[in-house]
Amino acid sequence: MTEMMIETRNLTKKYRGTRAVDALNLAIPRGEIYGFLGPNGAGKTTTIRMLLGLIKPDSGVVQIFGQDLRKDRLRILRRVGSLVEYPSYYGHLNAIENLETSRRILNVPKSRIDEVLHTVGLTKDAKRHVKGYSLGMKQRLGIASALLGSPELLILDEPTNGLDPSGILEIRELIKRMPQEQGITVLVSSHLLSEVEQMASSVGIVNQGRMIFQDTIPNLQRKAGSEIHIALSDAETAMITARELGCFPRLDQGKLVFKGIDNDQIARLVTALVDARHSIYRVEERRKSLEDLFLTMTGGGSSDAASADDTIASGAPRAAGLRREAAQ
Amino acid sequence: MIGKLLSTDLLKMRRTGIWWVVLIGPVGLAAMQALNFGLRYDYLVRGRYAADPWSGLLNETAMFVPIAVYLAMTLLMAMIANIENKQNSWKQMLALPVRRSQVFASKFLCCLIQLLAACALLSVSTAAVGLALNFSGPIPYADLLTFGVYPMLASLPMLGFTLWLTLTFRNQAIPISLGIAASLMSVFGASMPEVVPLAWPALVVSGQRALTFMGLGVGLFAVLYLLGSAHFSRKDVA
């Protein structure tokens, strides 16, 4: 059995009667980059705050490194680096002084400050007051201070929030290097699936305080599945040709849509269709995007987050989401 | 651990201007008396306090000590708390391996160190005023040393309260308003009933059972401190 870095059991936190986090079971094995995913207000930050002992759960247990957080908080936190939501910093101090405030408490050698500044690429700006930093630099400083104590576990809450594309890319590359170079397990939360998909090895999706999916990224992608769309001159007669070959497409706006069809079948199908004098305009693979899957699972969310590439696939969950909103 | 926290807190105060408050308060008070005694030299030094100009100077200055101490507590604690409140650094600070009670203690010690430094500065600068004005008679070292600290000890309940308010709530308008109100009311301290803590520093200044009111001040402070610390240690950090 792999060693669990973080394990929660029935973690629950109520705010004025509503359950912000509801019986959440997290399981994060060593060496993973775990994407903690969910729409805004799903309870991600609340969960992370409970993992860090910043807020107390109403019920449930948090175990980090196999130790109970309530009993061994200080010993656990010594081995954890964290960045919670937007960066916290002391604007009137420069980067070195900012890190020095944590260094004195963590009791690590002064050389660590230069090392982490180098890791996040802030060496050049180390002597500037942090209040003059861009958001991306502040965020990198936050990661630097999370890395300062050479943690075994890194907990990053929305580390790319509010960054521009190049900033996002930088942070992403930084996070991806962690398990490889330093053997750090990373928990990174986000409300953007595409982002998690690009850096995480496993994922937990949370909605309205409940864990609705927890597995590896490949398994999530498998769940999404793909379809082959063939656009041609006369779809209805082509359907008959396809059936004769043992394929059973559905008809969609003059296109044939095949599910679970392999390369061989496609090749034979296209040959047969050409022989039957159909004009084939387009053969394309369409993945049901993870966004759609995500929206289906989280029951809508904001409609502008839906990808617009597949009207049928995303139409249904979006309509379901709207209905739910109307019902509230 | 508390030592590390304290050194961290002192580091965080760089460039915040906190130490200017510590400097300007007592020096300003002494400068005011220098003006008072300098301009009215004949009346005050040669006339009214001719017998003992040193205690004249101390008494005139001491009248302003309670109001200054209350203002200093309010201002210093607001500035200390603001370091963490400004960018909501509490979440980062408290996710470090630190005991919350010690974080609370460290913030208190910062403020106490600054208040004691201010008292020491008040002693030194008041002595300087007396010497500069060529006061006759022996320098009352003991009184000079205590005329700031004693009322400060009697004012400590205010610090206990302000410590909790500033460190617990992000909105500093409430503790600052309360602090200013308290310092203004403390001017009338001597005419308030003895049970009102706001009266205690003024009662210490007037010299009536000074020890009792200092003891009461420290005692009530201890209670407020423990309550504040207990709450701070348990509360959820937003």
Side-chain angles (χ1 to χ4, degrees):
Chain A
M1 221 187 101
T2 47
E3 183 192 349
M4 287 296 162
M5 294 297 266
I6 300 180
E7 214 174 352
T8 70
R9 279 194 298 277
N10 294 322
L11 198 63
T12 303
K13 179 77 186 177
K14 280 178 251 173
Y15 284 118
R16 292 198 184 92
T18 54
R19 288 163 188 265
V21 174
D22 191 0
L24 197 76
N25 295 308
L26 269 178
I28 305 176
R30 181 181 279 278
E32 294 274 329
I33 296 181
Y34 183 94
F36 193 36
L37 197 61
N40 291 328
K44 301 187 296 288
T45 298
T46 306
T47 306
I48 284 175
R49 291 200 162 150
M50 284 193 277
L51 294 180
L52 294 169
L54 291 174
I55 60 181
K56 293 206 163 44
D58 288 319
S59 61
V61 183
V62 176
Q63 284 200 325
I64 299 181
F65 312 122
Q67 295 165 316
D68 190 329
L69 184 68
R70 277 171 307 186
K71 289 188 200 120
D72 294 303
R73 196 176 72 91
L74 295 193
R75 228 176 308 154
I76 290 170
L77 288 180
R78 180 63 193 76
R79 296 158 69 192
V80 176
S82 64
L83 172 69
V84 182
E85 266 185 321
Y86 48 89
S88 304
Y89 55 89
Y90 304 106
H92 57 284
L93 303 178
N94 66 34
I96 294 175
E97 289 164 337
N98 261 281
L99 293 170
E100 177 68 17
T101 62
S102 303
R103 189 200 68 82
R104 289 187 185 176
I105 290 167
L106 292 167
N107 215 4
V108 292
K110 279 208 159 159
S111 57
R112 273 301 288 164
I113 290 182
D114 294 334
E115 285 169 35
V116 294
L117 281 173
H118 178 76
T119 307
V120 300
L122 278 179
T123 310
K124 218 171 62 206
D125 299 287
K127 295 256 164 69
R128 271 173 58 197
H129 287 194
V130 173
K131 72 182 153 211
Y133 276 20
S134 68
L135 183 61
M137 291 164 79
K138 285 172 186 163
Q139 202 70 281
R140 277 187 281 156
L141 177 63
I143 293 181
S145 86
L147 289 172
L148 195 63
S150 311
E152 292 160 57
L153 174 65
L154 201 55
I155 296 179
L156 306 172
D157 188 15
E158 306 261 8
T160 57
N161 218 356
L163 298 187
D164 59 14
S166 73
I168 292 176
L169 190 74
E170 268 176 51
I171 302 268
R172 190 194 298 146
E173 292 308 313
L174 197 63
I175 293 171
K176 277 161 89 172
R177 291 208 313 262
M178 294 298 154
Q180 297 154 15
E181 289 175 14
Q182 320 193 29
I184 303 174
T185 307
V186 185
L187 166 66
V188 52
S189 83
S190 175
H191 60 275
L192 298 173
L193 184 117
S194 54
E195 193 179 292
V196 165
E197 200 186 351
Q198 286 177 70
M199 57 186 166
S201 48
S202 59
V203 63
I205 300 179
V206 59
N207 189 39
Q208 294 180 346
R210 294 189 146 270
M211 183 69 84
I212 51 178
F213 180 87
Q214 183 166 241
D215 209 333
T216 61
I217 288 277
N219 279 347
L220 179 68
Q221 281 164 339
R222 212 161 296 143
K223 212 174 166 182
S226 70
E227 292 175 336
I228 299 293
H229 289 227
I230 299 180
L232 36 58
S233 49
D234 184 1
E236 297 197 4
T237 50
M239 223 148 103
I240 301 163
T241 317
R243 281 197 187 130
E244 283 164 2
L245 284 168
C247 304
F248 300 95
R250 78 169 193 270
L251 198 62
D252 173 19
Q253 296 174 346
K255 287 184 290 188
L256 297 181
V257 180
F258 298 86
K259 248 190 175 158
I261 183 170
D262 62 30
N263 289 346
D264 243 20
Q265 281 177 301
I266 297 168
R268 268 187 284 131
L269 188 67
V270 171
T271 318
L273 288 172
V274 171
D275 285 346
R277 304 215 158 256
H278 286 286
S279 303
I280 298 178
Y281 307 132
R282 203 164 285 149
V283 179
E284 57 190 338
E285 180 176 18
R286 288 217 181 158
R287 293 190 84 102
K288 187 171 162 199
S289 78
L290 288 181
E291 300 284 341
D292 294 332
L293 193 70
F294 181 47
L295 284 175
T296 317
M297 285 195 281
T298 58
S302 58
S303 56
D304 59 348
S307 65
D309 73 333
D310 196 334
T311 45
I312 292 298
S314 66
R318 214 182 295 175
L322 285 175
R323 241 177 282 128
R324 196 158 306 161
E325 273 162 28
Q328 276 170 1
Chain B
M1 193 55 181
I2 190 82
K4 282 185 215 158
L5 274 167
L6 195 58
S7 82
T8 305
D9 277 331
L10 291 173
L11 169 66
K12 287 176 194 168
M13 282 169 201
R14 276 189 202 173
R15 292 190 282 272
T16 53
I18 284 185
W19 291 104
W20 284 108
V21 175
V22 175
L23 181 74
I24 287 168
V27 171
L29 211 55
M32 197 172 78
Q33 290 309 325
L35 222 65
N36 183 19
F37 278 76
L39 292 176
R40 303 197 290 167
Y41 195 87
D42 285 336
Y43 170 66
L44 288 175
V45 183
R46 297 224 176 92
R48 207 168 147 192
Y49 301 124
D52 189 359
W54 277 108
S55 43
L57 174 65
L58 285 180
N59 286 338
E60 296 259 327
T61 314
M63 277 177 12
F64 295 93
V65 168
I67 183 171
V69 168
Y70 277 130
L71 273 180
M73 283 173 175
T74 306
L75 206 55
L76 291 173
M77 259 333 286
M79 289 176 92
I80 291 170
N82 194 40
I83 293 172
E84 310 289 347
N85 284 334
K86 204 169 169 190
Q87 300 298 334
N88 195 13
S89 307
W90 289 114
K91 57 186 161 65
Q92 189 182 333
M93 170 93 191
L94 298 177
L96 290 168
V98 290
R99 271 182 217 293
R100 291 215 200 159
S101 58
Q102 295 191 341
V103 172
F104 194 80
S106 171
K107 300 287 180 198
F108 158 65
L109 285 176
C110 278
C111 193
L112 188 68
I113 289 170
Q114 287 160 347
L115 286 171
L116 289 173
C119 287
L121 269 171
L122 182 66
S123 305
V124 172
S125 47
T126 304
V129 170
L131 290 173
L133 293 174
N134 264 328
F135 282 0
S136 58
I139 301 174
Y141 290 108
D143 287 345
L144 269 173
L145 275 176
T146 55
F147 89 113
V149 178
Y150 282 1
M152 196 271 277
L153 291 176
S155 317
L156 277 178
M158 182 68 201
L159 180 60
F161 189 53
T162 268
L163 188 65
W164 171 69
L165 272 180
T166 53
L167 296 182
T168 309
F169 300 104
R170 218 175 155 187
N171 185 351
Q172 301 286 292
I174 298 163
I176 291 176
S177 315
L178 284 175
I180 291 173
S183 71
L184 291 178
M185 278 157 68
S186 73
V187 176
F188 311 105
S191 50
M192 278 187 234
E194 287 178 0
V195 289
V196 181
L198 277 178
W200 298 348
L203 290 169
V204 169
V205 168
S206 66
Q208 309 163 22
R209 287 179 290 144
L211 217 60
T212 312
F213 293 113
M214 276 190 281
L216 279 172
V218 174
L220 181 56
F221 164 76
V223 173
L224 290 171
Y225 176 91
L226 289 176
L227 287 173
S229 177
H231 176 249
F232 183 79
S233 303
R234 278 168 186 76
K235 79 183 187 99
D236 286 352
V237 178

